[in-house]
Structures are given as C-alpha cells and as structure tokens.
C-alpha cells in the first residue's frame, strides 16, 4: 500500500492506512515500536501535524498505544473470552478463589479484582427489571476485573436489599461459591436468566473505571435472574471494552425423536 498526494483521502489518513495494514499483516508485530514522528515526516515528506493526526487515528482505533517519550507501540492484544452461558454451571472453586480468578489463573494470566459494596437507590433500568417499588433500596457489588494489570471489565450486581441484608453479599470480598448460590441458600434460587446485550460509547464513569482510550466502544451485558416463582432477584451489568473481549455463546439444537 502506498500514499498518493493526489489521492482522494488526505495524507494523514493514507499514512494511517499504511501503518494499519502493516499491523494487520504482521509487518508490525504486537509490542513493536512504530517509526518515530521524525522518521515518518521524512519518509512521506509531510508536516508534524499530519504525522500526529495519522498516529492519533491508530490510537483512537486501539491499535497503537502512546508511551511518551519512548514513542508509539503496537498494542498487545490477548482478548478475554466472555462466556455468559457459564453463569449457572457448577462451581468447584477453592475458598480463596472465585470463578473469574480461577478460570484465568488456569490460563497462566494474572487475574485480580477490586470489590466495593454499597446500599444505593437503584438506577431506573435496574429498578424496572427488579420490579421495585419507589423508595426501595438495593445492595450493589461493584467489581473491576483485571488481567495482567489491565482493567478488562466491570461487573456490577444489584440485589433487592430486603433479601440480601446481613448476608455474605454485603461483604466486599470474593464469594467462592458465587452470589447466585448465596441467593439460593437464602431461598431465592435463580432458574431463569434474561440476557440483554447493548453496544454503545462509554459514559465518563466507565472511561475512568476501565481506563479506556478515545473512541473505544463498550458492550453492555445485562442479566436479570428470576426464581421459579418468576421473581427477579438479581441484575448484573457487565461492561466489556470492545478492544479487550470476545463474547462467546454456545447454542445447541434439541434433537427430535426421529433424529435421536
């Protein structure tokens, strides 16, 4: 791929296209340093502003990170596979490690999470899904999950305060058997979950919690858990940066008697 001063696209866009192609084809491997601004100016006979616009495009796309004064580097990518269907599977975890920490420790990555617990008035969308009356409060467990030191996603789980008060859910620490099992022990086992997925640009709080770069979209996975009686008892909101995740669903078709 070459640049053309008489081309339809401006020079900074063409330079970005050339560098992007080198990243996509492996010419610039993860962790590789890009040519310096001075080298790019000389190579393409353009101004510093043009070079900076080109590099800015790649930074906004999440392909390149700026590490001044060292320069710009191809971003290392090792996406986290997010599996919503695993939520209700059996959890043979150790007392010290919950599902997230256990799964990614087994992949030779370094997981950790920060947990906060608070009693709050629920956001409107959460109150609606939990079918709460005006003035009802919820307990929220807010987690930021890290892999290899980088914040990968947030998981905020909301519970009607009336059913989880004084339970383990109110403690800001990992629950090895999972909050779902605690709810079951409290008499509110979930047998059905409604999953909703939204994709949008992040709000400022999400940018701060996840240290998001400019132009990074997020996926929002919202799960509402219901008991056998149909009562909603938990809403979990997971925020997934688009440059750090692959969402994986497994589906199976039920076989007919003739096919079995």
């Amino acid at each position: 791929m070459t640049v053309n001063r008489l081309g339809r696209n401006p020079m900074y866009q063409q330079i970005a296209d050339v560098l992007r192609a080198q990243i996509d084809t492996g010419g610039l491997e993860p962790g590789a340093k890009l040519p310096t601004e001075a080298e790019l100016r000389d190579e393409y006979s353009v101004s510093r502003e043009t070079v900076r616009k080109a590099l800015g495009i790649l930074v906004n796309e999440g392909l390149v990170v700026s590490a001044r004064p060292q320069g710009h580097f191809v971003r290392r990518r090792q996406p986290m596979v997010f599996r919503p269907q695993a939520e209700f599977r059996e959890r043979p975890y150790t007392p010290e490690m919950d599902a997230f920490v256990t799964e990614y420790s087994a992949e030779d990555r370094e997981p950790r999470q920060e947990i906060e617990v608070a009693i709050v008035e629920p956001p409107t969308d959460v109150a609606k899904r939990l079918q709460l009356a005006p003035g009802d409060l919820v307990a929220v467990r807010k987690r930021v999950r890290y892999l290899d030191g980088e914040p990968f996603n947030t998981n905020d789980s909301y519970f009607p305060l009336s059913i989880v008060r004084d339970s383990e859910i109110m403690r800001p620490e990992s629950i090895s058997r999972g909050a779902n099992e605690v709810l079951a022990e409290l008499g509110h086992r979930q047998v059905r979950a409604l999953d909703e997925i939204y994709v949008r640009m992040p709000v400022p709080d999400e940018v701060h919690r996840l240290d998001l770069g400019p132009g990074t979209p997020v996926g929002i996975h919202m799960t509402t858990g219901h008991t056998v009686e149909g009562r909603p008892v938990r809403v979990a909101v997971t925020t997934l940066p688009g440059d750090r995740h692959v969402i994986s669903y497994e589906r199976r078709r039920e076989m007919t008697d003739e096919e079995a």
Side-chain angles (χ1 to χ4, degrees):
M1 182 179 293
T2 60
V3 300
N4 181 358
R5 290 187 177 277
L6 300 179
R8 178 177 301 177
N9 293 328
M11 286 294 292
Y12 69 85
Q13 181 68 67
Q14 295 183 56
I15 295 171
D17 291 344
V18 170
L19 294 172
R20 185 189 302 105
Q22 292 175 5
I23 294 171
D24 290 342
T25 59
L28 286 170
E29 297 182 345
K33 184 178 180 181
L34 271 64
T36 66
E37 291 183 6
E39 290 170 340
L40 290 171
R41 292 202 313 269
D42 292 342
E43 181 176 356
Y44 296 105
S45 300
V46 295
S47 68
R48 174 181 294 180
E49 181 65 20
T50 296
V51 168
R52 289 185 173 179
K53 282 185 177 180
L55 294 172
I57 289 174
L58 300 178
V59 170
N60 287 343
E61 292 177 353
L63 295 175
V64 167
V65 294
S66 175
R68 295 185 182 277
Q70 292 90 349
H72 291 78
F73 296 82
V74 179
R75 184 171 185 174
R76 296 183 183 275
R77 291 176 177 270
Q78 189 176 1
M80 170 182 170
V81 179
F82 180 69
R83 302 179 178 89
Q85 70 271 19
E87 180 179 11
F88 292 143
R89 290 178 182 170
E90 186 177 355
R91 301 188 171 201
Y93 304 126
T94 68
E96 298 83 12
M97 299 167 67
D98 75 350
F100 170 71
V101 176
T102 300
E103 180 173 359
Y104 292 99
S105 293
E107 294 185 3
D108 293 328
R109 304 187 72 174
E110 296 182 7
R112 69 179 179 88
Q113 56 186 345
E114 296 175 353
I115 304 174
E116 299 178 8
V117 177
I119 297 173
V120 300
E121 293 185 2
T124 301
D125 55 350
V126 171
K128 178 180 178 180
R129 286 166 175 78
L130 288 176
Q131 301 176 8
L132 299 177
D136 285 350
L137 299 179
V138 296
V140 57
R141 290 175 59 84
K142 304 186 77 169
R143 293 186 287 182
V144 180
R145 293 164 167 167
Y146 295 80
L147 283 178
D148 303 323
E150 181 180 12
F152 255 64
N153 64 52
T154 62
N155 176 266
D156 299 341
S157 294
Y158 298 85
F159 309 85
L161 182 60
S162 59
I163 67 174
V164 300
R165 191 189 305 270
D166 300 323
S167 73
E168 288 177 71
I169 288 172
M170 303 300 298
R171 303 173 190 169
E173 56 192 38
S174 296
I175 303 174
S176 60
R177 64 193 187 285
N180 288 338
E181 189 59 31
V182 174
L183 279 176
E185 294 167 3
L186 294 170
H188 304 284
R189 181 174 295 280
Q190 299 163 84
V191 298
R192 179 173 67 89
L194 173 64
D195 292 305
E196 303 169 75
I197 295 179
Y198 305 87
V199 179
R200 57 169 171 75
M201 297 306 295
V203 299
D205 180 63
E206 293 162 344
V207 172
H208 172 71
R209 293 177 72 189
L210 290 165
D211 192 22
L212 298 178
T216 304
V218 294
I220 307 297
H221 175 235
M222 183 173 288
T223 300
T224 305
H226 297 78
T227 65
V228 67
E229 296 84 12
R231 179 182 181 182
V233 292
R234 171 176 171 263
V235 171
V237 183
T238 304
T239 303
L240 308 162
D243 60 348
R244 304 171 201 176
H245 290 84
V246 173
I247 300 177
S248 174
Y249 271 97
E250 178 182 341
R251 297 185 295 168
R252 296 190 180 187
R253 185 175 68 87
E254 295 294 333
M255 299 180 64
T256 65
D257 292 339
E258 291 77 10
E259 294 173 321

